[in-house]
Amino acid sequence: CGGSVSDSSGMLQSPNYPGSYPNDADCVWEIQVENNFRVTLTFRDIAMQRGTCQHDYIEVYDGPLHSSPLLGRFCSGSFPTYVSSSNMMCVRFHSDSRYSFRGFQAHYSSIPAGHNTTIQCLPDYMHVVVSRDYLQSQGYSARRVALNDSRCRPTVTSREVVFNIPYNGCGTIQEENNDTINYSNTIRVASSGYIIKRKKNINLHISCRMLRKTWQQVMYAAEDTVDVNEYQFGRYDMNITFYDSPAFQQQVRSSPYYIDLNQNLYLQACLHSSDPNLKVVVDTCVASPDARDFNTLAYYLIKNGCRRDSSYATYRSPSGHFARFKFNAFEFMSRHPSVYLKCRMTVCRLGDFSSRCYRGCSTRAKRDTSSAEENVDVVVGPLQLREGGAPSRST
């Protein structure tokens, strides 16, 4: 139950609905729609254990589960509707070991945010668009819009003022706290006049906050001058590539990648980000013959930083943005035409020795890891056993 949902609309329901849900269930749905849209969620049926909602309950969060405001917690009553303040909403369903009922069914859809200022947190920069019509309606000219670092100028079109603000330049400030890694900057709209002025300046504070699984994007205006409050969520840009040797110089570009039994396979994960103070490590890698199912038949090479396969090994990387590792082709490939890998990469702050990137093997549950980390899932493959090929020696 649970999982990531990215369609513009859909249905959520408890396990086995309309049959009785199982005991000891804990399901989390992450609904993420397009940038600059909101999520609206309406419950159509609720049949659960009544009372104080301490045993069986539904929770709705205005963003990621562990770092966002709780919009509501309930187990009975009328059918509520919730609207997110961002393009992301989380729904959690929990049941205990006692009674079981029909559960719930809810429908979600996306609606336009309807603001005149938008922000996207892209891999290398913050993309901010301010409507010129909006500025003119407030009595401001596009020529008065600037960053703290005046050398970083926007692109002004006939309809918009566009900023591409890098995470490591143009006065962007990097901060870390217990919950997030923050990148922030300020767009200022200055009132004209040399001796007196009758209008307040506008300060648009822009922030991209790295949470456990998402980038949270925030924009607000100081001094209640302009009512702008934007939250958006995105994902890290990450890829994994096969190489033909431990020198990691020549990529393997063929797909599927035909290999011999027990052949050494070399992989490099690469994080695409302009922030040099990040580190990426391999947390978990699991193999499956089905790119959509890593549960029915799964073989772990590494899990929670703990090596499960004796052939798995890591290599020194040129920078924190790369993670290099290898393993030998394994025997269940002879029984399936293709094999896929799903690797969970963890991104942390460089030099944060309390983070998951520096702790190595860990048996702690995923929810207990530092929320100043982000986990990114990447699927690679397929791998296919070379027909008629003899087992190669491990080199």
Side-chain angles (χ1 to χ4, degrees), residues 5 74 86 135 168 239 291 313 356 371 390:
V5 180
F74 52 92
S86 70
L135 291 173
N168 63 338
N239 73 290
R356 180 71 188 81
S371 55

Side-chain angles (χ1 to χ4, degrees), residues 182-231:
N182 300 339
Y183 303 90
S184 59
N185 210 314
T186 302
I187 298 174
R188 302 189 184 279
V189 186
S191 176
S192 59
Y194 296 98
I195 300 176
I196 65 170
K197 64 179 183 180
R198 300 187 184 277
K199 294 185 298 184
K200 293 182 178 180
N201 296 335
I202 299 176
N203 293 331
L204 298 176
H205 300 278
I206 306 125
S207 177
C208 286
R209 302 176 183 176
M210 191 176 85
L211 304 173
R212 186 182 299 273
K213 291 183 180 179
T214 60
W215 282 88
Q216 178 184 353
Q217 304 170 60
V218 182
M219 177 179 290
Y220 65 92
E223 301 178 312
D224 296 326
T225 309
V226 181
D227 184 17
V228 180
N229 196 349
E230 296 284 349
Y231 298 86

Side-chain angles (χ1 to χ4, degrees), residues 18 22 42-43 47 49 61 80 90 112-113 131 146 163-164 168-169 184 215 258 271 286 320 389:
T42 300
F43 285 83
Q49 182 177 353
Y61 289 86
C90 277
S131 166
F163 286 90
N164 290 324
N168 63 338
S184 59
W215 282 88
Y258 290 96
L271 169 66
V286 58

Side-chain angles (χ1 to χ4, degrees), residues 73-370:
R73 176 179 173 137
F74 52 92
C75 56
S76 61
S78 59
F79 301 156
T81 295
Y82 297 97
V83 179
S84 67
S85 62
S86 70
N87 66 328
M88 189 174 184
M89 177 186 286
C90 277
V91 180
R92 181 189 182 195
F93 168 75
H94 176 82
S95 66
D96 66 2
S97 58
R98 301 178 66 186
Y99 306 108
S100 184
F101 298 86
R102 187 171 67 248
F104 78 91
Q105 185 181 72
H107 178 267
Y108 80 88
S109 59
S110 57
I111 57 175
H115 286 303
N116 294 302
T117 306
T118 62
I119 176 173
Q120 290 179 281
C121 287
L122 300 176
D124 294 323
Y125 55 88
M126 295 177 277
H127 180 72
V128 184
V129 178
V130 183
S131 166
R132 291 192 65 176
D133 288 342
Y134 166 71
L135 291 173
Q136 291 170 4
S137 70
Q138 301 296 313
Y140 293 96
S141 166
R143 296 191 303 270
R144 311 294 298 182
V145 182
L147 288 173
N148 278 338
D149 187 342
S150 59
R151 295 170 297 178
C152 298
R153 299 296 302 170
T155 299
V156 180
T157 69
S158 60
R159 303 183 62 180
E160 299 170 334
V161 180
V162 181
F163 286 90
N164 290 324
I165 308 171
Y167 296 126
N168 63 338
C170 291
T172 299
I173 299 173
Q174 303 177 20
E175 297 177 317
E176 181 176 0
N177 57 35
N178 292 333
D179 299 318
T180 59
I181 300 171
N182 300 339
Y183 303 90
S184 59
N185 210 314
T186 302
I187 298 174
R188 302 189 184 279
V189 186
S191 176
S192 59
Y194 296 98
I195 300 176
I196 65 170
K197 64 179 183 180
R198 300 187 184 277
K199 294 185 298 184
K200 293 182 178 180
N201 296 335
I202 299 176
N203 293 331
L204 298 176
H205 300 278
I206 306 125
S207 177
C208 286
R209 302 176 183 176
M210 191 176 85
L211 304 173
R212 186 182 299 273
K213 291 183 180 179
T214 60
W215 282 88
Q216 178 184 353
Q217 304 170 60
V218 182
M219 177 179 290
Y220 65 92
E223 301 178 312
D224 296 326
T225 309
V226 181
D227 184 17
V228 180
N229 196 349
E230 296 284 349
Y231 298 86
Q232 303 295 324
F233 295 86
R235 301 287 181 183
Y236 260 133
D237 186 9
M238 180 93 67
N239 73 290
I240 295 180
T241 308
F242 286 100
Y243 282 78
D244 64 355
S245 76
F248 293 94
Q249 293 180 349
Q250 186 67 37
Q251 293 186 15
V252 176
R253 301 187 182 277
S254 59
S255 182
Y257 180 18
Y258 290 96
I259 58 177
D260 294 321
L261 189 63
N262 204 37
Q263 176 181 335
N264 273 331
L265 304 178
Y266 305 97
L267 299 94
Q268 175 176 273
C270 178
L271 169 66
H272 301 282
S273 173
S274 63
D275 183 358
N277 298 312
L278 297 177
K279 179 179 176 62
V280 59
V281 299
V282 183
D283 179 82
T284 299
C285 263
V286 58
S288 168
D290 188 342
R292 297 164 297 180
D293 180 6
F294 287 87
N295 296 309
T296 304
L297 181 59
Y299 178 76
Y300 282 91
L301 301 170
I302 180 173
K303 187 173 184 180
N304 297 326
C306 304
R307 188 175 69 165
R308 293 292 187 88
D309 182 272
S310 60
S311 70
Y312 180 88
T314 59
Y315 291 87
R316 180 185 294 270
S317 300
S319 78
H321 284 195
F322 297 92
R324 292 174 170 178
F325 57 102
K326 57 85 64 173
F327 64 94
N328 291 2
F330 28 79
E331 292 192 6
F332 80 54
M333 301 187 78
S334 63
R335 305 201 306 271
H336 298 276
S338 299
V339 167
Y340 296 83
L341 295 179
K342 181 178 181 180
C343 295
R344 170 153 292 180
M345 315 303 297
T346 299
V347 182
C348 316
R349 294 297 290 172
L350 193 65
D352 180 7
F353 296 101
S354 65
S355 69
R356 180 71 188 81
C357 293
Y358 292 90
R359 290 201 304 266
C361 178
S362 174
T363 57
R364 297 202 309 175
K366 174 183 171 185
R367 69 179 58 183
D368 292 331
T369 60
S370 169

